Structures are given as C-alpha cells and as structure tokens.
Amino acid sequence: MASGSNSRLQLNLLLVVMMTLYDVTALDVKSTSTYPSDNIKGRSAILNCAWTTSGSEEAGVLNIKKNETNYFTCTVYKTNSYSCVKNVPTSPDRFTTVNGVGNISMTIGTLECLDEATYACQVILFYPSGQFQQADTVLRIKIPPSVPALSIDQTEVIENSNINVSCTATLGYPNVGQIVWKTYQNGILFTPSPSDIIISSTNVVQPGDDICTVRNRSSVLLKTSRNNPNISLACFVINQDFPAPSDDACTNPTAQWCNLTATVNIVYPVSNIQSTIVPSTALYEGDDIFLRCSVEANPLPTFTWTKVDDYRTLTSEMDGLVSVLRLTNLNVSTDPGDYNCTASNVVKGVRYTASRVITLIINKATTPVPTTTNTQNRTVTSAKTTPRTEITTPGLNIEVADTNPDKVTIIAMGVILSAIIVIQFVVILILIRRSQGDCPCTRKLAERKPHIYDQPERPTQYEYINDSNYKSVEL
C-alpha cells in the first residue's frame, strides 16, 4: 500500500514539474532599447520591457537592472496600474518609468558616457511562484565629432621647403572616426606625390573629455614646388555613426566637420630667363621688331631694359612674367648693339636678379637676305641681399650666328669670272693687231714701245659689308 502511495506522489511531482517548466517556457519577456534621438550623447533613450503569459501564469514583479544592479522594482500582479520603486537612491532623476499595458519603459534623459551598459528586463511569476524570465539589451552612446581646429606655421614658404599643418578634433566613439586630409592647388583638388607628403597621428586628452570620447591630432608635412602654387589643405573628420556629405571641398565646416587652411604662397627667385626677337629673321634698316623677355619668379619680378653701349634705359611693356621692348624703324647707325634685359624679385628679404643680353646686327636695305638671324644672346643670373650680403650665381649661355658659306662661294665665283673676261679681252685685242700686221709681239723687246694695254692690271677693290658679306666693284 505504501509502495502504491509513493508511486502516485512521484507522478504528481513529475506532473507539477512538467507544468512549471511549460509555464515558464510560455512566459515571453522582451527588452528593447529605442532611441528617439538615436542614442546621441546629451539627448535621451528609452528601455522598454514587455511580457506576455499564457495558461495559469501570473506575472508578479518586474525588475529593471543595469549591469546586474537593480534600478527599479515594479509590482505588476493583476493590475494595469503598475507601481515602481527606485532601488538605487543615488541614481539621478534622469531615470524614470512609464507604465503601459503589459510593459514598463524606463527613460534615460541627457545621455552620458556612464549610461553605457547592459540593461536587463526581469519578470518574476506570482504563479507558479518564483519562476522568472529575463531579456537583455546593450546601450551604446553615439558621440558626434567636433569641427576640427587647424594650426599652420606659415602662409608663405620658399619652394622645396615644407608646409607644416596640424588638425585636432573629437572623433567621437572609439574606433568609429578618423581624420583625413585633402590638398588643393588654386582651389582644385589634387593628389601630391607620396614622397612629398608625410602624415602622422596621435590621440590627445584634454580636461573634460568623456571616457567614451576619442580626441585626435593629425599632422602633415607637405613638400612644396613651384609647379604647385597656391596650396591649401583641409582636414575632414570621418565618422561611421554620423555620415557627412562626401564633398571634395570644405564648404560647410559645421555640417562636414572640416576646416580649411588659408592659401599658402610658394615663393622662389627669378630663374630660367629667356629672350626672343619677333620676327626671328634677318634685321634690316626700317624694320619694326619686338624684343621679348620672360622669367619664372614669385613674387612677380620687375624688368629693366638697357642699351649697353650708351647705358640708355629703355621703356618696355610688362605683363606679369613677360616684358616686351618695341623698336620701330630700325636705324643701321644707332640701333645695332647689345640690349640687356634684367629681371629681379625679393624673396624672404633677399634680392635675386637674372639678365639676358641680345645683340642686334642690322643690315642695310640693299644687303642680300641672310639665311640666319643676326642676333646673339647671353645670360647672367645673380642674387644678393638687401642691402649688404651678396649671393652670386653666374651662368653663361652664348649663341653665335654662323657665317653663311654660300655667300663666300658666290663672291669667289664672281671674282674668277671677272678675271677670265679681262684675259679674254686682252687676247682678242692681240689677235686683231696681228691681223693688221702691227702686232707688237713681232718686234724686238728693245724696240718695243709702251702701249696703253701694257698698263698694269688694276686690282679689284672690295667694299666691306657686315662682317661676312662682300661685293666687288670694278673701277
């Protein structure tokens, strides 16, 4: 009999356990976080706890926990008007509860980094007594980046030196933000050579920074070149939580979290001076020509034209890096000679100069057209400080017009032909005299009388024409 009673008791206990397991399994608890402001620091967030029961289950108590610390205990047994008690007296008033039907919400106002935690919603059954279910949710605070602050050492640098710029900004939550750089030339985006730019980065801490905030300082060393004038740099904060407009230019610093430096002026001394003559043909008296002089320089140079032989300063037209000297109605007596173009500028207190000499050779209007231009060029560059120290960098570049061999050949052939004609004329006269029987060649030498044709042949005289051009004149 006792054995039968024990069997029935074990069966009833098993049924109770099975019912309890079934009922607890049927209890459905949900803990979800909703963020009206996308859980941004300084705004608010809501943790919602909801539950459902089935069968004979009855929910009795709901606990809201943060990192295993019970913040609120709420009575929810057979009533829709729940009452919640704060279990952490020191918790700020930012934590409040709102009742619903089958749910209770906890509101966190003015989110702080310390609010980051795992929050739990725990529902304990009144019947069957002591059974519970729990659901967790993780709250992560989003930290918006800040508009970066720029620091630049200089706004004017000599070519081949470095521009040094640093950018400091709050990147936001760790590992979601970074600083990127963009470089512009005359306002147009360009990519420097990797060998010309060095970027370094380090995290910095300032008083008042939150524990979930990362502040970073990024620095750039950019080597300058005259080929990339008017450089400016912009730093952008890129944050995954707060996508910004992907514009290439920093047009709205507040919305784009960016900052742009002022334009950096790249300066360099005058160099690569060039000169040309227009038109680039042989020069004749009465012609109009232009002497053109150009350099590379920043800041813009000043130009001076002088006539070397008489030290005259000539008036020219200047346009930036080019100076033009106009000569009209060339005079074969006064205009030939050396014309010197001098360009100069001042870089960081040092005056630099470069000179170019053009030698003009002007032909008379009757001179045959040469096949080469009669000009010579010489270049001299120098630099000196103002007013005492002097730095000199001389250079020489001389171009000399070649003598035309065809002209010499023509002149020589003319001389030979003239001599042949004279000889033929003399022979014809001798033959005519012999036919008349009065040939002086039949007489003895002692009896021979002087004749007009026996006069010595007069030499051909030459008139000098412009170094290499000659013409013969028969007297």
Side-chain angles (χ1 to χ4, degrees):
M1 185 70 179
S3 177
S5 299
N6 291 335
S7 298
R8 285 194 297 272
L9 179 61
Q10 291 175 357
L11 179 61
N12 290 333
L13 289 173
L14 178 62
L15 290 175
V16 170
V17 171
M18 291 180 63
M19 288 180 62
T20 302
L21 291 175
Y22 172 79
D23 287 341
V24 171
T25 303
L27 174 63
D28 185 16
V29 177
K30 296 180 180 179
S31 177
T32 59
S33 296
T34 60
Y35 314 109
S37 59
D38 203 16
N39 60 315
I40 297 175
K41 179 180 177 291
R43 300 186 184 177
S44 62
I46 296 176
L47 173 67
N48 183 260
C49 295
W51 68 94
T52 58
T53 59
S54 63
S56 60
E57 294 175 337
E58 289 288 347
V61 176
L62 181 144
N63 293 321
I64 299 176
K65 297 182 176 183
K66 173 187 176 183
N67 292 337
E68 300 302 324
T69 299
N70 194 5
Y71 265 48
F72 289 95
T73 298
C74 303
T75 302
V76 295
Y77 176 64
K78 288 186 177 181
T79 177
N80 291 330
S81 179
Y82 311 131
S83 61
C84 296
V85 176
K86 186 179 295 185
N87 294 322
V88 182
T90 58
S91 65
D93 293 337
R94 296 183 299 110
F95 293 81
T96 58
T97 58
V98 178
N99 297 335
V101 179
N103 66 83
I104 292 179
S105 297
M106 182 179 75
T107 301
I108 307 174
T110 316
L111 285 169
E112 299 176 357
C113 286
L114 292 175
D115 295 331
E116 283 198 336
T118 299
Y119 291 85
C121 175
Q122 184 185 69
V123 177
I124 302 174
L125 292 178
F126 178 79
Y127 181 85
S129 175
Q131 304 300 319
F132 70 92
Q133 286 280 31
Q134 178 175 311
D136 298 338
T137 188
V138 177
L139 175 64
R140 181 177 74 82
I141 306 300
K142 293 184 178 180
I143 310 296
S146 65
V147 176
L150 279 175
S151 174
I152 183 169
D153 290 345
Q154 68 281 77
T155 57
E156 180 177 282
V157 297
I158 300 178
E159 65 171 339
N160 301 321
S161 61
N162 290 326
I163 299 174
N164 188 359
V165 187
S166 65
C167 175
T168 304
T170 298
L171 304 184
Y173 199 84
N175 302 319
V176 299
Q178 61 177 325
I179 293 176
V180 299
W181 290 89
K182 296 182 180 181
T183 309
Y184 309 89
Q185 175 186 338
N186 292 318
I188 300 175
L189 185 69
F190 86 101
T191 303
S193 170
S195 61
D196 291 339
I197 187 169
I198 299 175
I199 300 177
S200 59
S201 180
T202 182
N203 289 339
V204 294
V205 178
Q206 293 184 1
D209 283 348
D210 291 315
I211 59 174
C212 59
T213 299
V214 173
R215 187 181 300 273
N216 184 265
R217 177 179 294 118
S218 180
S219 299
V220 168
L221 281 177
L222 177 64
K223 186 177 180 180
T224 62
S225 168
R226 68 175 60 184
N227 297 324
N228 301 118
N230 301 324
I231 293 292
S232 57
L233 297 94
C235 64
F236 293 77
V237 177
I238 306 300
N239 187 291
Q240 299 174 13
D241 291 337
F242 301 91
S246 57
D247 296 339
D248 287 334
C250 179
T251 56
N252 190 339
T254 302
Q256 297 175 266
W257 296 296
C258 64
N259 208 335
L260 177 68
T261 69
T263 299
V264 180
N265 189 26
I266 313 301
V267 295
Y268 46 92
V270 289
S271 61
N272 194 26
I273 186 168
Q274 302 290 331
S275 61
T276 56
I277 180 172
V278 181
S280 57
T281 58
L283 307 180
Y284 290 89
E285 57 182 348
D287 286 348
D288 295 341
I289 64 169
F290 295 92
L291 302 183
R292 186 179 184 274
C293 184
S294 64
V295 294
E296 294 180 9
N298 188 30
L300 291 176
T302 58
F303 290 91
T304 303
W305 285 89
T306 56
K307 184 86 163 36
V308 177
D309 54 356
D310 56 11
Y311 303 101
R312 283 188 295 130
T313 300
L314 306 174
T315 302
S316 61
E317 297 179 1
M318 301 180 188
D319 184 10
L321 298 173
V322 178
S323 176
V324 177
L325 174 64
R326 182 179 182 183
L327 300 177
T328 60
N329 194 23
L330 292 179
N331 187 295
V332 72
S333 300
T334 60
D335 289 335
D338 292 339
Y339 291 80
N340 181 51
C341 171
T342 299
S344 64
N345 70 344
V346 177
V347 177
K348 297 291 186 179
V350 180
R351 178 172 294 277
Y352 296 84
T353 62
S355 298
R356 182 81 168 181
V357 175
I358 302 179
T359 301
L360 297 185
I361 300 175
I362 303 173
N363 301 290
K364 289 185 177 180
T366 57
T367 304
V369 178
T371 59
T372 59
T373 303
N374 293 321
T375 61
Q376 297 179 1
N377 295 308
R378 298 193 302 275
T379 303
V380 178
T381 60
S382 63
K384 62 181 181 179
T385 59
T386 303
R388 296 185 180 86
T389 307
E390 182 170 351
I391 306 170
T392 304
T393 306
L396 186 61
N397 180 16
I398 303 178
E399 300 174 2
V400 181
D402 295 331
T403 303
N404 191 339
D406 293 338
K407 297 178 182 178
V408 177
T409 302
I410 293 172
I411 295 172
M413 290 178 63
V415 173
I416 294 172
L417 289 176
S418 299
I420 292 173
I421 293 173
V422 171
I423 293 172
Q424 289 178 343
F425 181 75
V426 172
V427 172
I428 292 172
L429 287 178
I430 294 173
L431 292 176
I432 291 174
R433 298 288 293 177
R434 179 179 294 180
S435 64
Q436 294 176 354
D438 190 19
C439 179
C441 59
T442 58
R443 299 179 181 177
K444 296 181 180 180
L445 292 176
E447 299 174 353
R448 188 166 178 259
K449 297 181 179 181
H451 194 274
I452 187 173
Y453 298 110
D454 294 331
Q455 297 296 325
E457 183 179 348
R458 283 182 270 183
T460 302
Q461 298 183 9
Y462 299 89
E463 180 182 359
Y464 173 79
I465 303 294
N466 193 24
D467 291 334
S468 61
N469 303 319
Y470 299 87
K471 66 180 181 179
S472 61
V473 179
E474 185 70 29
L475 299 181

